[in-house]
Amino acid sequence: MHNNFFRVEYNPVTGPIQKNQSARMIESPTALPVTQSDTVLAVDDQFDNLTVLFYFLETAGYQVVLAENGEAALKQAKEHQPNLILLDVMMPGLDGFETCRRLKAAAETSMIPVIFMTALTDTKDKVKGFNMGAVDYITKPLQKDEVLSRVKVHLELYHLQQTLEQRVAVRTAELHHALKHLKDTQVQLVHTEKMSSLGQLVAGVAHEINNPITFIHGNLQPAQIYIEDLLYLVQLFCSAMPEPTAAIAEHMEAMDFEFVQQDLPKVVQSMNQGTERIKDLVLSLRNFSRLDEMKTEAVNLHDGLESTLLILHHRLKSQVNSIEIIKDYGELPPVHCYPSQLNQVFMNLIGNSLDALEELSQEAPGHNSEALRIQIKTQCLGGDRIQIIISDNGPGIPEAVKANIFDAFYTTKPMGKGTGLGLSISHQIVVEKHGGRLYCDSTVGQGTQFVIELPICQDIDQS
């Protein structure tokens, strides 16, 4: 016999007849047609054993593939993916042990159960076979009832295992979905609690600051008029009494009257500008939170960006290297959205850029060849969508980290400096609440940009 694969037909009168040796699949005109039955690969270097196995299996309703050596068995197993393999141990060339080892080492055949066929009775040989991955032994000479019984049992076990694996896969998917839903719910609860706390804080701070600052700002204008009148009155006295008394002259010199006369209006003007800035900050806090407005409305997103930058102004100037803000605002129409929630997204993204640049400036203070900067660009994408890009020239994000940045509770910041919720909440707000997109592009050593895409007008989740 010189070929690896062959077919046989079984004649109930004359017995097995070897046929076309180039064929690979078994054909039997005398057997009943079988559909969707299990396929068994039988491997033996003795043709008589193969024909007997073919008869046993074919008449029991199995589809049969035959191979006469180990190399042929590996090819047949890979090509036909049988449900079970009957493998002879003692074969020239590649013996049954090595063939089994290779079958188990290959991903596409590793799960196929293997039953050894052997005349060996030594326990060491059986243990070796089991260590190679075999599931059972059949002792030669082959007995029909034993062969079919063991084949049936191990095929049932094989299918049971497949069913269990499918059930495990389904259950795992269900658990994964449940875990994701739980995390999303946790994030939403944290977000709601955070926004509620922020709203109460902002409302309290705004109320406590707004009343006194309004009083001060309202009195500065008449105070400025009074001061100007008093200074004019002093000038009239000086004109009427060009030679002041010694006591008056001494006091004027001690107080540096000429400097006070010139600087006092400037002081009042600076106080006026300071109160204006505090009023703007209070208004920005109110606009940033807007927690009393839980419905959607059409707003100018540039106002939200400006409010966020004003709130973060102190951080821009407190770094070792001051951070430049580059605004590249396009013409945006009013966007239908939840303003307070998008303002929170702006705060998270710009705050992350500040964190990255602060880290960079602390690692090499004063030695950065390039000025630290954050760029904010807005533009229409055409159709009904707009885009906001917040980028920095910080250290960038490694690929391994970038793959997880939107996961809930994932953070690379030290303990106490990050909850791992900022980007997760931002992603939820943009994607789930507004039907938009939020994604990150980053290169280590070159910087990071976050891209927000939003529909201009769309029916969004009101829940």
Side-chain angles (χ1 to χ4, degrees):
M1 190 180 303
H2 302 289
N3 295 61
N4 293 331
F5 317 120
F6 51 87
R7 66 176 185 174
V8 296
E9 293 179 359
Y10 190 86
N11 187 299
V13 178
T14 62
I17 306 171
Q18 186 171 349
K19 302 289 283 187
N20 180 7
Q21 293 192 6
S22 64
R24 297 192 178 189
M25 291 296 295
I26 302 301
E27 297 177 2
S28 177
T30 61
L32 294 175
V34 179
T35 58
Q36 298 182 346
S37 62
D38 288 312
T39 299
V40 179
L41 169 61
V43 187
D44 199 303
D45 63 325
Q46 297 296 320
F47 176 73
D48 290 343
N49 289 335
L50 287 178
T51 54
V52 169
L53 284 170
F54 167 74
Y55 171 64
F56 290 168
L57 298 169
E58 182 78 2
T59 54
Y62 299 112
Q63 295 190 26
V64 187
V65 181
L66 302 181
E68 67 174 349
N69 57 50
E71 292 290 349
L74 295 174
K75 294 178 182 178
Q76 290 284 58
K78 184 176 181 181
E79 179 178 348
H80 295 291
Q81 290 293 305
N83 305 102
L84 180 72
I85 299 175
L86 296 173
L87 180 59
D88 185 24
V89 173
M90 304 300 293
M91 295 185 295
L94 206 63
D95 66 11
F97 294 132
E98 180 60 19
T99 301
C100 183
R101 188 192 68 78
R102 295 191 188 183
L103 286 168
K104 295 301 176 181
E108 61 267 35
T109 58
S110 61
M111 301 305 295
I112 303 174
V114 176
I115 299 177
F116 276 131
M117 302 180 297
T118 181
L120 299 175
T121 58
D122 193 340
T123 301
K124 291 183 179 180
D125 292 322
K126 293 184 178 181
V127 171
K128 181 179 180 180
F130 287 127
N131 288 336
M132 291 293 178
V135 297
D136 204 349
Y137 266 89
I138 297 177
T139 305
K140 292 182 178 180
L142 301 173
Q143 302 295 322
K144 180 178 179 180
D145 290 342
E146 181 185 11
V147 171
L148 295 180
S149 176
R150 292 182 186 272
V151 166
K152 182 176 183 240
V153 167
H154 287 290
L155 282 173
E156 288 176 350
L157 290 174
Y158 172 76
H159 289 302
L160 179 60
Q161 181 182 4
Q162 297 296 311
T163 301
L164 288 175
E165 288 178 354
Q166 291 175 1
R167 290 180 179 176
V168 168
V170 171
R171 185 58 178 160
T172 300
E174 291 174 349
L175 291 174
H176 179 76
H177 177 74
L179 178 60
K180 183 179 183 302
H181 179 70
L182 176 61
K183 283 189 174 182
D184 290 344
T185 303
Q186 289 174 329
V187 169
Q188 185 62 39
L189 289 173
V190 172
H191 170 57
T192 302
E193 182 178 352
K194 180 178 179 181
M195 293 299 288
S196 177
S197 300
L198 178 62
Q200 295 174 7
L201 174 64
V202 169
V205 170
H207 177 75
E208 294 298 326
I209 293 178
N210 193 57
N211 287 340
I213 205 63
T214 299
F215 171 78
I216 294 171
H217 184 75
N219 283 299
L220 277 175
Q221 186 174 3
Q224 186 174 10
I225 296 174
Y226 299 157
I227 289 170
E228 290 174 353
D229 287 343
L230 288 173
L231 289 175
Y232 181 67
L233 180 61
V234 171
Q235 289 178 357
L236 290 177
F237 270 108
C238 289
S239 298
M241 299 178 60
E243 295 295 332
T245 64
I248 294 175
E250 183 180 352
H251 184 71
M252 291 178 66
E253 183 178 357
M255 67 176 291
D256 196 354
F257 175 72
E258 291 185 0
F259 172 78
V260 171
Q261 188 178 26
Q262 296 175 2
D263 193 56
L264 186 55
K266 297 178 183 178
V267 170
V268 175
Q269 184 180 5
S270 296
M271 293 169 64
N272 191 60
Q273 292 175 348
T275 56
E276 285 283 359
R277 183 168 182 79
I278 294 174
K279 288 178 64 180
D280 289 341
L281 181 59
V282 171
L283 181 61
S284 294
L285 286 171
R286 287 176 168 176
N287 289 338
F288 172 80
S289 181
R290 303 176 79 164
L291 296 178
D292 54 334
E293 301 174 6
M294 294 309 292
K295 59 176 186 276
T296 60
E297 59 180 299
V299 298
N300 182 353
L301 293 183
H302 292 154
D303 292 341
L305 288 167
E306 288 298 315
S307 296
T308 304
L309 290 174
L310 183 58
I311 294 171
L312 293 172
H313 180 76
H314 70 287
R315 291 191 62 188
L316 298 173
K317 300 302 180 184
S318 65
Q319 310 298 329
V320 176
N321 298 312
S322 62
I323 297 173
E324 179 185 7
I325 298 294
I326 301 173
K327 302 175 187 177
D328 184 9
Y329 292 169
E331 293 291 332
L332 295 186
V335 176
H336 193 243
C337 63
Y338 294 100
S340 64
Q341 294 189 4
L342 285 184
N343 288 341
Q344 186 182 3
V345 174
F346 301 153
M347 178 70 78
N348 288 337
L349 298 184
I350 297 174
N352 280 350
S353 291
L354 287 171
D355 291 341
L357 294 175
E358 181 181 19
E359 178 184 347
L360 186 62
S361 65
Q362 289 176 348
E363 290 177 355
H367 295 288
N368 296 310
S369 59
E370 188 177 7
L372 303 180
R373 67 175 185 272
I374 296 174
Q375 182 173 14
I376 305 174
K377 180 178 181 180
T378 64
Q379 61 184 352
C380 285
L381 295 179
D384 64 343
R385 298 179 75 82
I386 62 97
Q387 186 180 73
I388 302 170
I389 302 174
I390 299 173
S391 58
D392 63 65
N393 61 341
I397 304 174
E399 285 295 326
V401 174
K402 190 167 66 174
N404 300 296
I405 57 174
F406 294 117
D407 292 347
F409 308 107
Y410 178 83
T411 180
T412 58
K413 295 179 181 178
M415 182 72 71
K417 289 194 175 182
T419 62
L421 289 174
L423 289 178
S424 178
I425 289 174
S426 298
H427 189 271
Q428 188 178 70
I429 290 172
V430 173
V431 176
E432 297 182 18
K433 285 291 186 180
H434 292 85
R437 295 180 64 206
L438 174 60
Y439 57 92
C440 171
D441 290 324
S442 183
T443 302
V444 174
Q446 297 184 22
T448 301
Q449 72 171 16
F450 283 91
V451 182
I452 304 170
E453 293 181 8
L454 295 169
I456 295 172
C457 184
Q458 179 178 313
D459 292 333
I460 55 182
D461 184 6
Q462 296 285 341
S463 61

